[in-house]
Amino acid sequence: MKKVLSLILFISLTSWCFSQNNTGTGNHEANSHCLDCHGQKVYGYVNPDDGNSVRKLMPVDFRVDSVLFYTGAHHTFKCVDCHVPEYDSFPHPNQLRFEPMYACLDCHGGDETYAKYHFETIDEQFRKSVHSPETLSGFTCWNCHDPHSFRINQRTGETIANTIAYDNAVCMKCHFETGSEKMLLLANEKLKPMSVSHDWLPNQELHFKQVRCIECHAAMHDSLLIAHMVTSADSAVRQCKECHSRNSMLLSSWYRFQNIENRSKNGFVNGILLNEAYVIGASRNEILNILSLVLFGLTLGGILVHALFRLKINKRKSHE
């Protein structure tokens, strides 16, 4: 009995430790001092000069959603792992406004643990894109990937629809009508509304739901799952046949790392596309193609036989 109880206790403790490590709950206490303010829409403090309580709205850019943080890629971090300990005092010292922010390579560069993500290649591609700091002064990884909520979903078994929605939301933060004002921080002009810049695209809403922006607006790299070399607008894909064809470009971008055996499903060419959607021109069924040719041949043969009989009958009548 003691052995059974000991085993149960051991399993319970192991499970608890595992959950602490994977959900970031072990950091709750350490981070609560920061999130008591930055995790709220409204924060309060006591004015040391007159002793009055003050309530203020937390600016959106300084607000951290604790749920998203503890389910994100950096959930095991403490706030002070990235931010200097001087933030522990309030009011925060003014000079902290100029605190340099870490970039992805500061932690992930040259680390074999993260080699499969190819961070160095991502950085190279990013610096060749229209988002590079040389093109848009002040643009960094964090403009797209919020370190307080970023999570990996491409390799986690997420449904395609969820992944598309998540990835496109990153672009929409600046490129959608309601987010174009954020571009004023990087450039001196607002972007055109999406409906205007994509007025040539039929079924806009359907395309935005079923295809990631980067499929048409970024150049793929052989070793990267997610393209980071965003190209200029005039280089974007505009030909329907690029996706709606047997050799759909989606197979070399969106589905490139899927098992090649899955690319034929129930007789469908590019059958993997059927996991979430039917792509006209790309999702072809060889059996149906052959069957349609057979039916077409039989129909044509029937017409020819009918025509021959009519000719024969007409000749017979003319001789009579």
Side-chain angles (χ1 to χ4, degrees):
M1 186 65 179
K2 288 184 178 180
K3 290 183 178 180
V4 174
L5 290 175
S6 299
L7 180 61
I8 293 174
L9 180 61
F10 173 78
I11 294 174
S12 300
L13 287 173
T14 303
S15 300
W16 181 82
C17 291
F18 181 80
S19 65
Q20 291 286 91
N21 183 58
N22 282 275
T23 62
T25 53
N27 295 329
H28 279 187
E29 185 176 353
N31 292 339
S32 63
H33 183 66
C34 299
L35 294 179
D36 282 346
C37 289
H38 288 278
Q40 311 298 325
K41 292 183 179 180
V42 177
Y43 69 101
Y45 61 91
V46 176
N47 189 327
D49 294 330
D50 56 22
N52 291 327
S53 296
V54 180
R55 285 171 59 83
K56 288 190 174 182
L57 290 173
M58 177 61 69
V60 175
D61 290 340
F62 296 146
R63 193 185 306 160
V64 176
D65 188 318
S66 59
V67 174
L68 294 179
F69 176 73
Y70 286 117
T71 55
H74 299 134
H75 65 273
T76 59
F77 283 35
K78 297 177 182 178
C79 299
V80 292
D81 288 336
C82 298
H83 301 284
V84 294
E86 284 77 10
Y87 273 110
D88 192 54
S89 62
F90 184 86
H92 301 317
N94 286 331
Q95 63 268 25
L96 295 183
R97 292 174 178 267
F98 306 102
E99 176 196 19
M101 299 296 293
Y102 286 116
C104 296
L105 289 184
D106 291 329
C107 293
H108 299 294
D111 190 335
E112 288 300 319
T113 306
Y114 304 101
K116 65 179 180 180
Y117 298 112
H118 304 284
F119 279 102
E120 290 82 3
T121 305
I122 288 175
D123 186 65
E124 291 174 5
Q125 293 293 294
F126 163 64
R127 294 187 180 281
K128 294 178 182 178
S129 76
V130 295
H131 288 157
S132 69
E134 289 75 19
T135 304
L136 289 175
S137 179
F139 199 99
T140 69
C141 307
W142 308 135
N143 287 93
C144 294
H145 307 294
D146 186 342
H148 300 111
S149 60
F150 173 75
R151 61 183 174 86
I152 298 173
N153 55 31
Q154 183 68 33
R155 297 176 172 87
T156 59
E158 285 272 359
T159 63
I160 289 178
N162 288 344
T163 301
I164 291 173
Y166 180 87
D167 288 356
N168 283 354
V170 172
C171 302
M172 298 300 182
K173 285 192 297 185
C174 289
H175 290 276
F176 197 59
E177 283 83 338
T178 56
S180 61
E181 290 185 356
K182 290 188 176 182
M183 281 297 296
L184 294 176
L185 296 173
L186 303 167
N188 293 322
E189 58 180 351
K190 282 188 176 183
L191 296 173
K192 292 181 181 178
M194 292 278 288
S195 56
V196 175
S197 60
H198 291 75
D199 57 0
W200 59 273
L201 181 67
N203 299 317
Q204 285 187 11
E205 185 177 353
L206 184 60
H207 276 91
F208 295 156
K209 286 183 178 180
Q210 298 293 342
V211 183
R212 296 180 302 177
C213 302
I214 59 174
E215 311 301 352
C216 298
H217 290 279
M220 285 301 302
H221 188 279
D222 291 340
S223 61
L224 297 182
L225 184 59
I226 307 295
H228 279 74
M229 197 177 90
V230 180
T231 58
S232 58
D234 55 6
S235 299
V237 174
R238 285 176 173 261
Q239 297 294 323
C240 300
K241 64 181 181 180
E242 295 294 337
C243 291
H244 297 280
S245 64
R246 186 186 184 96
N247 296 318
S248 175
M249 59 173 281
L250 295 177
L251 291 174
S252 61
S253 57
W254 182 227
Y255 295 96
R256 63 177 304 182
F257 285 94
Q258 298 285 353
N259 195 327
I260 193 168
E261 283 81 9
N262 290 332
R263 292 189 177 181
S264 179
K265 180 180 180 181
N266 298 328
F268 281 91
V269 173
N270 302 336
I272 195 170
L273 296 175
L274 292 174
N275 288 347
E276 295 287 338
Y278 178 85
V279 181
I280 296 174
S283 305
R284 301 183 183 183
N285 189 296
E286 294 287 7
I287 297 174
L288 292 178
N289 284 348
I290 294 172
L291 183 60
S292 63
L293 289 174
V294 171
L295 291 175
F296 178 77
L298 290 174
T299 302
L300 184 61
I303 293 173
L304 290 174
V305 170
H306 178 74
L308 289 173
F309 271 110
R310 292 295 298 268
L311 287 172
K312 189 174 182 180
I313 292 172
N314 288 337
K315 283 183 179 180
R316 185 179 297 174
K317 286 183 178 180
S318 63
H319 288 303
E320 293 176 354

